[in-house]
Amino acid sequence: NKNLWGVSICLNNQLKYVDENNQVQTSLARDSKDLYAHSMAQATRSYYENHTNKERGFILTRSNFAGTGKFVQHWLGDNDANWSQLRQSIVSSYEYSMFGFTQVGPDICGFFDQPDPELCMRWQQVGAFYTFSRNHNELSAPAQEPTQFDDQYVQVMKTAMRTRYELLPNLYTTMFFTSANSRMGGSDLINKLIERGERHPGSSPFRSLTFEFFYELEALNGNSHEYQFFWGDYLMFTPIVHQGDKEVTAFMPASAYWYDYYTFKQIPSGTKYTANGEEKVPIYIRGGKTIVKQSLKEDETTTVEQRVNDITLVVSFDAENTSTGYLYYDDGQTVDSAFVLTRFGSFMNVENQVYEFKMEVEEKNKMGDLEFLPEVTEIVFVSPGQVDVVKLDAGLVLGSEVEMEFPYEDVI
């Protein structure tokens, strides 16, 4: 039948079903349409938790309902290869992150139609920092993975993806906090942080400027800043999302310090700052946050290989000369995994001209069962007008309890 009603279900249709008492009941299609996907998500997750030796399993859904994010992750569905859809994917990812999905993303470069090289390059730059990153299109369409394009485009895409991997431990940690924060009544960890007045990064992993800085009037101007986004509360990304652009202007909220991720240069707060985004996505570290960098070697292609590599800490100071951060590390495979959550705390003691650094275990579970724990081998202290690098001859193993002081004159 060529009529619409012949190939789809009207949401006002009455559906019949048999209830738990073996009685026939009726309901409207719209009342249960997305609950089917929700129920399938629950069933699939239950299988992984009960029949696969407690392996996590990655489950991806398009259709969903309120609460589906507890069980599975979401992709945004079929989209078109155009600039409008690129921009819309960022906004949609904000929304689903608020709805409780920790991993969300579109079909990078578009599912339908063929993207031109510039569009796919820019979309791959943005896509490197979705919480769920996947280039995907319909089977009959021309291939659009990065290697299908000329080298000038490939190198830009490659840089973005390698930066994603370098920063991935931070996103993983944020997802841990998001999971802990979503438990009914909160978790012991979250309640402990609240009691001591410390903010954690896990209310949602992917968030808008407005979500994070709702108390700043300029941040509420969505038309100007709706495409600059955050991982947690510590990293801000400002990609190019308009055809032909080489630069991108971002608002730097007034209530925080900001540092360029690549150069550690301080960016004036409360201003609109323009950066070149042609070859690298401009990224800014929020003052007061300590982030982790774990490089992917040139011949490495997976996080399994990467997870044993040495770690660099970037300690960015705020107006009070303090900085905190976390790193969650587990076996990467099982549901009830052995893990260690390490906290990093630093204070820039200007009077005594020393950096005070502390590494401690915030929470752990069967930590001794972990086959390997990486080491912190470098610490970069970043403050307004000053960048100091500490190379550690003996690395600091995650899970260690350490307190150290680094005099200014002893650092590079």
Side-chain angles (χ1 to χ4, degrees):
N1 196 310
K2 295 183 179 179
N3 294 318
L4 180 62
W5 55 264
V7 294
S8 63
I9 297 176
C10 175
L11 296 184
N12 286 325
N13 274 5
Q14 283 196 343
L15 304 178
K16 293 184 178 181
Y17 65 95
V18 179
D19 66 16
E20 64 272 16
N21 298 316
N22 207 33
Q23 300 295 311
V24 176
Q25 304 288 351
T26 60
S27 69
L28 296 180
R30 65 169 176 260
D31 294 330
S32 58
K33 173 180 177 291
D34 292 323
L35 283 173
Y36 175 78
H38 183 76
S39 298
M40 290 298 292
Q42 287 179 296
T44 309
R45 177 57 65 196
S46 176
Y47 168 80
Y48 271 103
E49 292 183 350
N50 294 289
H51 300 285
T52 59
N53 197 30
K54 297 295 183 180
E55 292 179 356
R56 293 176 196 175
F58 180 78
I59 310 168
L60 193 65
T61 185
R62 178 166 58 182
S63 182
N64 58 87
F65 194 73
T68 307
K70 176 180 174 64
F71 308 102
V72 298
Q73 310 305 338
H74 175 63
W75 102 98
L76 296 172
D78 299 345
N79 56 358
D80 295 322
N82 60 54
W83 291 88
S84 175
Q85 292 279 279
L86 184 164
R87 293 188 289 272
Q88 180 57 42
S89 70
I90 298 174
V91 177
S92 296
S93 295
Y94 294 153
E95 294 169 344
Y96 271 94
S97 187
M98 290 191 294
F99 298 158
F101 286 85
T102 54
Q103 288 185 270
V104 181
D107 293 334
I108 293 173
C109 296
F111 184 78
F112 297 116
D113 302 327
Q114 185 174 2
D116 62 60
E118 183 193 4
L119 172 61
C120 200
M121 175 181 70
R122 295 300 181 220
W123 207 330
Q124 198 72 51
Q125 281 187 301
V126 176
F129 304 107
Y130 295 133
T131 48
F132 171 63
S133 180
R134 179 185 69 159
N135 183 315
H136 177 62
N137 65 340
E138 61 177 331
L139 188 61
S140 61
Q144 63 185 30
E145 59 267 24
T147 52
Q148 295 298 311
F149 298 92
D150 292 342
D151 188 65
Q152 68 184 93
Y153 302 106
V154 172
Q155 292 307 314
V156 172
M157 300 183 202
K158 182 178 178 181
T159 296
M161 288 306 298
R162 293 189 71 85
T163 304
R164 173 189 176 85
Y165 274 81
E166 183 175 84
L167 290 169
L168 210 51
N170 301 281
L171 184 59
Y172 197 59
T173 300
T174 302
M175 289 180 178
F176 165 76
F177 274 107
T178 302
S179 176
N181 189 54
S182 66
R183 298 170 197 164
M184 292 295 290
S187 69
D188 291 340
L189 169 64
I190 298 299
N191 292 334
K192 180 171 61 175
L193 296 182
I194 292 173
E195 286 175 6
R196 70 182 187 216
E198 187 169 319
R199 193 165 188 245
H200 66 86
S203 57
S204 67
F206 189 94
R207 59 187 73 168
S208 67
L209 180 73
T210 301
F211 184 98
E212 182 60 26
F213 288 93
F214 58 90
Y215 47 84
E216 291 200 27
L217 185 60
E218 182 61 33
L220 299 179
N221 185 0
N223 292 332
S224 299
H225 318 302
E226 61 182 328
Y227 306 120
Q228 59 186 89
F229 56 85
F230 285 81
W231 279 4
D233 63 349
Y234 50 89
L235 280 174
M236 180 168 66
F237 302 85
T238 62
I240 290 174
V241 295
H242 291 92
Q243 186 175 13
D245 284 0
K246 307 295 183 187
E247 297 180 331
V248 59
T249 300
F251 173 64
M252 316 305 292
S255 55
Y257 282 177
W258 300 99
Y259 303 96
D260 183 288
Y261 171 72
Y262 306 102
T263 66
F264 305 129
K265 170 188 172 184
Q266 186 185 17
I267 310 301
S269 302
T271 66
K272 293 182 180 180
Y273 181 76
T274 300
N276 187 298
E278 190 169 6
E279 296 182 355
K280 295 180 179 179
V281 173
I283 306 173
Y284 305 99
I285 307 169
R286 184 177 185 170
K289 305 298 178 181
T290 296
I291 66 164
V292 172
K293 295 172 63 174
Q294 189 176 38
S295 295
L296 189 71
K297 297 174 183 176
E298 191 63 34
D299 61 344
E300 293 176 339
T301 57
T302 71
T303 55
V304 175
E305 299 167 300
Q306 179 192 14
R307 61 186 278 112
V308 301
N309 294 344
D310 291 341
I311 289 170
T312 294
L313 297 180
V314 180
V315 177
S316 67
F317 290 107
D318 58 17
E320 285 74 44
N321 294 327
T322 64
S323 182
T324 59
Y326 295 89
L327 177 59
Y328 173 79
Y329 191 89
D330 64 11
D331 67 15
Q333 296 179 333
T334 57
V335 175
D336 185 25
S337 171
F339 74 86
V340 58
L341 177 67
T342 304
R343 181 184 186 273
F344 309 105
S346 300
F347 176 66
M348 184 178 179
N349 191 326
V350 178
E351 182 178 354
N352 295 328
Q353 299 284 285
V354 297
Y355 295 110
E356 299 174 4
F357 173 78
K358 185 176 183 179
M359 185 170 94
E360 58 188 328
V361 174
E362 186 70 65
E363 193 169 277
K364 62 183 178 181
N365 176 47
K366 301 177 291 186
M367 189 175 77
D369 292 348
L370 293 171
E371 294 182 1
F372 182 86
L373 287 167
E375 297 181 356
V376 176
T377 58
E378 182 179 71
I379 306 174
V380 183
F381 294 105
V382 182
S383 60
Q386 187 170 334
V387 178
D388 290 316
V389 181
V390 175
K391 302 280 189 180
L392 300 169
D393 295 330
L396 307 178
V397 180
L398 288 187
S400 302
E401 301 275 352
V402 176
E403 287 191 55
M404 307 176 74
E405 289 188 352
F406 302 102
Y408 290 2
E409 65 269 17
D410 290 348
V411 298
I412 300 175

